[in-house]
Amino acid sequence: MCRTGQDPDGERDVDATDAVFTSLLEDSAEELYEQAPCGYLSTLMDGTIAKINTTLLEWLGRDRSEVVGRMRFTDLLTVGGKLYHETHFAPLVRMKGEISGIALDIKAAGGQRMPVLVTSRVKASGDGEPLLIRTTVFDARDRRAYETELLRGRQAAEEARREAEEAHRAAEEARQAAEEAHRQAEGARRQAEADRERLQEALAVLQQNLLPAALPEVPGMEAGSYYHTASPDLLGGDFYDLFPLGADRWAFFLGDVCGKGPKAAAVTSLTRYTLRAAAMHDPDPVTVLTTLNTVLHERYSGGGDPRYCTAVFGVLEPEGDHVSVHLASGGHPAALIQRADGAAEYLHTPGGMLIGILSWAQFTPARTRLSPGDTMLLYTDGLTEARTGPARELYGEEALLAFTGAQPPAGPQALVSALSGLLAGFGDGLDDDTALLALGVPAPLDTPTSET
Amino acid sequence: MDTRRRNNVTVVGRTDGPVLLLAHGFGCDQNMWRLVVPALAEDHRVVLFDYVGSGRSDPAAWDERRYSSLEGYARDVLEVCAELDLRDVTFVGHSVSAMVGVLAAARAPQRFARLVMVAPSPRYIDEDGYRGGFSEDDIDELLESLESNYLGWSAAMAPVIMGNADRPELGEELTTSFCATDPGMARVFARTTFLSDSREDLKSVTVPTLVVECEQDVIAPREVGAYVRDAIPGSRLVTLKATGHCPQLSAPQATAEAVIEFVGAAR
């Protein structure tokens, strides 16, 4: 609506201008109604259309004759519009006398829909009795298109928001799942670690049970030992012992059971106690090893899992300032003697057979004397079969002989200490358990050590 | 769950009067009865409520599955009856609510003495030998307009909701709640209403029944009123000299008189 301002001081000019405008427009109230830029409609209180302008008829694609007196306002609406008209529009018009700006769709004769904004007002008689309803209908196509865009935009935004939330939720779930998996893995790792610790603890106890807790004191002699464990998870098969045979004799042994693990440990245990028992009965080294051979063979042959070992068993008999040694070997590396003058030599026991494989076996005895300053070394093949150098060659008996010959003759414990240093130097070249047992007669305190 | 609060139950009128339970139809709430309540309340105990999903009901009680069938709305009616321990009830249902009343009366016959069906329709869609007033396309278009075009409706209602200084008797409460409908819940109610077919249920009605229709009703045409009367044995049909689908608004006095006369005559 446009309202022209009136200027009281320029009335004559205005009159003249009005006349010009009027002639220019050649307009009339009738034409204003019929050709208005909006639709006009008057209905009786029951909705029957009494008057309608040309603009609206053109939008509807209908003739005046088929509308006036024949159609109701609701006939112009879509079904949704009809329902809305009945439940909201008509009741509100009745209660308030007017309603404005309602969005509806009108239905043209051809079936096309046209979005419109509708305003209705009740015209009442002088005594307030409602007579008819005047309605204006504005073209709302642009506005509806705009609203549709807004709606679509809002839906797209909501969709995007939902998708983002969904993605966020999925990510959060994945994160929680990963955390849970991590927690479980961590728990399993801790459990495995605890299991491993318990196992190692048990293994360590078992292993110690296969070795003497400490070597006994032998009057007039010195002893040293060392045990290198290649893997804390596997029981080793090496064993040694030193124990008295009555008041003036001592027995010793050192050996290596084939294989590792619990079964090898059982063989080691059987071997150790068999050797001790046999030595009490008859300490002759060949007899002791023969007894062990019989026991192992009876126990393990025929079970499909033959077990055997190599061992050196011997007896020490102190005689004055020296000790006589009587030993026998079954398939075991030769004992090594470091003499008081620094010279090193093997005490060979050729032809001794592996213990426990055959029902009968031959063992090779040997004898020697340990004078003051002499040390006898027993060892398992972990030492001589260690891999050394870039070519990973076997360390070997020659190298051991040379190494020992290069050590000052300072007694069993000094030799064991030097050899354990050698073993440590092998690093991962040493992949087997290794047992060392050194027995010697201490040199007199006032005797200077010999140079080599 | 407090049913009174959930269904925004209102009780007015004579406390020892016969009970009238007024149930609104689709698209509105208990305010639909506003113009007839004063006349009815003179001699009756008038109970009004909003279905869950309409008016001032508790939105937290909404359950899309429950309210996707008319049975769900009938449960609202029965729960209101149980909460207030209503007996000898005259159920007055408008539009789709008339069918909700039929279902409720079949479920709890001991509570209901009479049915008043205002502009009822058991089936909106035309079928062979039956005229409901709408084609399937019409209903599809209606539901589609509800789904896609709610912005137009709600935006357009905003000016109406603003003040009504020239008609203070309407009150802020009326204009605000008159059009306040959650679009999502309204869509479910519309779908349930306009796709339902309750024609078989009419046969179950055993209580005295009054059918009230308007001369001109674009939602429930005269054929439908006659169909309902014929389907319910012993029912009466009253045709009010009124237009539209809501005679309680367009002809409140005539509507109230028809109800009062029916209840009085049956007693």
Side-chain angles (χ1 to χ4, degrees):
Chain A
M1 281 292 208
C2 180
R3 182 177 296 173
T4 46
Q6 291 287 319
D7 182 358
D9 295 334
E11 216 163 284
R12 282 163 306 167
D13 294 342
V14 169
D15 286 346
T17 315
D18 277 355
V20 173
F21 277 151
T22 306
S23 64
L24 262 178
L25 288 170
E26 289 182 350
D27 220 337
S28 67
E30 182 65 17
E31 190 158 336
L32 267 176
Y33 177 82
E34 290 296 343
Q35 304 293 339
C38 64
Y40 284 124
L41 184 71
S42 300
T43 56
L44 305 182
M45 291 310 291
D46 69 358
T48 308
I49 296 170
K51 198 166 170 29
I52 183 169
N53 76 344
T54 309
T55 304
L56 186 50
L57 284 171
E58 281 170 1
W59 287 347
L60 291 169
R62 292 187 186 276
D63 287 337
R64 193 177 306 274
S65 59
E66 61 176 315
V67 174
V68 172
R70 292 168 182 270
M71 296 179 82
R72 295 167 192 279
F73 177 51
T74 49
D75 295 331
L76 308 182
L77 303 176
T78 59
V79 179
K82 282 188 174 79
L83 179 78
Y84 189 67
H85 182 270
E86 293 306 309
T87 55
H88 290 81
F89 192 100
L92 280 166
V93 169
R94 221 175 289 272
M95 284 192 283
K96 293 188 56 176
E98 65 177 350
I99 190 169
S100 63
I102 303 301
L104 294 169
D105 282 0
I106 55 172
K107 205 167 61 175
Q112 312 92 309
R113 270 60 170 163
M114 176 173 162
V116 292
L117 286 175
V118 176
T119 295
S120 289
R121 177 173 291 190
V122 174
K123 175 182 165 59
S125 66
D127 54 6
E129 186 66 23
L131 297 176
L132 52 85
I133 301 169
R134 288 172 173 152
T135 299
T136 54
V137 180
F138 287 92
D139 181 352
R141 280 174 290 202
D142 288 350
R143 177 178 154 155
R144 184 69 59 84
Y146 174 64
E147 284 178 349
T148 306
E149 277 311 305
L150 278 183
L151 191 62
R152 196 172 297 146
R154 194 178 68 185
Q155 283 165 347
E158 265 176 20
E159 183 61 26
R161 187 182 57 75
R162 254 198 309 278
E163 278 173 13
E165 275 179 3
E166 188 55 41
H168 178 75
R169 233 193 330 273
E172 178 64 16
E173 275 170 16
R175 193 187 62 73
Q176 284 173 357
E179 257 179 21
E180 179 58 25
H182 178 75
R183 250 198 309 281
Q184 285 178 1
E186 183 62 20
R189 193 186 63 72
R190 263 201 298 274
Q191 182 63 42
E193 229 167 53
D195 287 350
R196 189 179 141 95
E197 270 171 27
R198 266 204 304 278
L199 175 65
Q200 289 183 357
E201 203 177 295
L203 291 177
V205 169
L206 274 175
Q207 186 84 66
Q208 282 161 15
N209 206 35
L210 300 176
L211 298 170
L215 293 174
E217 292 274 342
V218 180
M221 288 194 76
E222 186 187 326
S225 66
Y226 178 76
Y227 196 100
H228 168 80
T229 302
S231 161
D233 295 337
L234 282 175
L235 286 167
D238 292 4
F239 59 92
Y240 61 83
D241 207 351
L242 173 62
F243 54 97
L245 289 174
D248 52 359
R249 285 193 303 176
W250 301 80
F252 63 89
F253 58 79
L254 179 144
D256 182 0
V257 165
C258 70
K260 283 176 176 295
K263 284 182 182 169
V267 178
T268 307
S269 184
L270 177 61
T271 298
R272 186 163 180 240
Y273 292 104
T274 300
L275 287 172
R276 271 189 169 242
M280 293 301 173
H281 183 67
D282 178 354
D284 173 65
V286 170
T287 306
V288 168
L289 291 183
T290 300
T291 302
L292 176 61
N293 184 75
T294 305
V295 168
L296 288 184
H297 184 261
E298 278 177 10
R299 170 68 182 80
Y300 289 105
S301 69
D305 184 21
R307 293 276 168 178
Y308 61 92
C309 69
T310 66
V312 170
F313 176 89
V315 177
L316 303 170
E317 266 181 285
E319 292 172 5
D321 67 346
H322 68 271
V323 172
S324 91
V325 178
H326 178 201
L327 59 73
S329 168
H332 200 81
L336 181 61
I337 316 281
Q338 182 193 38
R339 293 300 175 189
D341 62 0
E345 64 190 35
Y346 281 110
L347 178 60
H348 290 289
T349 43
M353 294 165 68
L354 296 175
I355 307 165
I357 286 195
L358 301 173
S359 60
W360 175 90
Q362 177 184 316
F363 302 112
T364 308
R367 288 180 185 275
T368 189
R369 275 161 63 107
L370 296 179
S371 300
D374 288 352
T375 294
M376 177 177 69
L377 173 72
L378 302 173
Y379 57 91
T380 54
D381 59 7
L383 172 57
T384 46
E385 292 183 359
R387 301 278 170 173
T388 63
R392 300 186 68 76
E393 290 163 349
L394 285 180
Y395 183 63
E397 297 187 356
E398 288 303 314
L400 177 60
L401 186 68
F403 178 84
T404 306
Q407 299 304 312
Q413 290 178 7
L415 182 58
V416 164
S417 173
L419 286 167
S420 66
L422 174 70
L423 289 172
F426 289 155
D428 62 2
L430 179 62
D431 59 0
D432 200 359
D433 282 21
T434 304
L436 303 176
L437 177 64
L439 304 165
V441 179
L445 285 176
D446 55 351
T447 304
T449 54
S450 307
E451 301 294 323
T452 53
Chain B
M1 169 57 71
D2 177 357
T3 306
R4 284 173 191 262
R5 203 164 49 94
R6 184 191 70 179
N7 288 101
N8 187 29
V9 174
T10 314
V11 182
V12 294
R14 249 180 66 182
T15 45
D16 60 345
V19 176
L20 292 176
L21 179 56
L22 307 189
H24 68 86
F26 166 74
C28 202
D29 55 38
Q30 61 185 269
N31 284 304
M32 203 55 142
W33 302 106
R34 201 172 181 91
L35 300 185
V36 294
V37 165
L40 298 178
E42 276 180 32
D43 289 311
H44 300 81
R45 184 179 178 209
V46 180
V47 180
L48 300 116
F49 70 99
D50 297 336
Y51 286 111
V52 171
S54 301
R56 295 187 169 200
S57 63
D58 182 359
W62 176 253
D63 173 351
E64 181 161 342
R65 267 186 59 196
R66 168 168 168 162
Y67 295 105
S68 290
S69 87
L70 293 182
E71 290 283 347
Y73 296 90
R75 275 171 63 193
D76 274 20
V77 171
L78 294 175
E79 283 159 14
V80 168
C81 286
E83 174 78 17
L84 277 66
D85 194 23
L86 303 179
R87 307 263 163 191
D88 202 29
V89 174
T90 299
F91 180 92
V92 184
H94 176 226
S95 194
V96 70
S97 247
M99 298 306 144
V100 173
V102 167
L103 296 176
R107 287 281 200 83
Q110 75 280 8
R111 294 206 183 270
F112 298 93
R114 282 164 291 275
L115 284 183
V116 178
M117 306 173 80
V118 181
S121 176
R123 176 67 172 163
Y124 293 90
I125 301 173
D126 298 338
E127 266 178 31
D128 289 343
Y130 175 81
R131 183 166 177 264
F134 296 87
S135 69
E136 246 172 85
D137 288 348
D138 287 338
I139 297 300
D140 286 348
E141 184 184 341
L142 163 65
L143 295 175
E144 202 235 346
S145 74
L146 278 172
E147 313 244 329
S148 65
N149 197 25
Y150 217 92
L151 182 66
W153 279 22
S154 53
M157 290 315 293
V160 180
I161 294 167
M162 302 299 169
N164 48 321
D166 50 337
R167 297 290 298 273
E169 73 273 17
L170 292 177
E172 175 75 7
E173 178 201 354
L174 171 60
T175 42
T176 337
S177 68
F178 194 86
C179 305
T181 318
D182 178 280
M185 301 179 192
R187 278 199 293 273
V188 173
F189 196 7
R191 188 166 284 280
T192 308
T193 299
F194 293 104
L195 296 180
S196 66
D197 184 351
S198 307
R199 283 175 291 178
E200 282 300 306
D201 299 308
L202 295 176
K203 296 174 185 165
S204 71
V205 177
T206 54
V207 295
T209 300
L210 174 70
V211 181
V212 179
E213 65 171 10
C214 295
E215 275 184 340
Q216 303 282 347
D217 184 346
V218 294
I219 307 283
R222 296 285 296 273
E223 291 96 321
V224 176
Y227 180 94
V228 173
R229 178 201 55 204
D230 293 345
I232 300 177
S235 64
R236 270 179 55 209
L237 174 64
V238 171
T239 308
L240 302 178
K241 285 186 76 69
T243 55
H245 186 55
C246 307
Q248 68 271 56
L249 289 173
S250 62
Q253 198 180 337
T255 305
E257 280 169 4
V259 173
I260 290 165
E261 187 204 308
F262 173 64
V263 175
R267 287 173 72 82

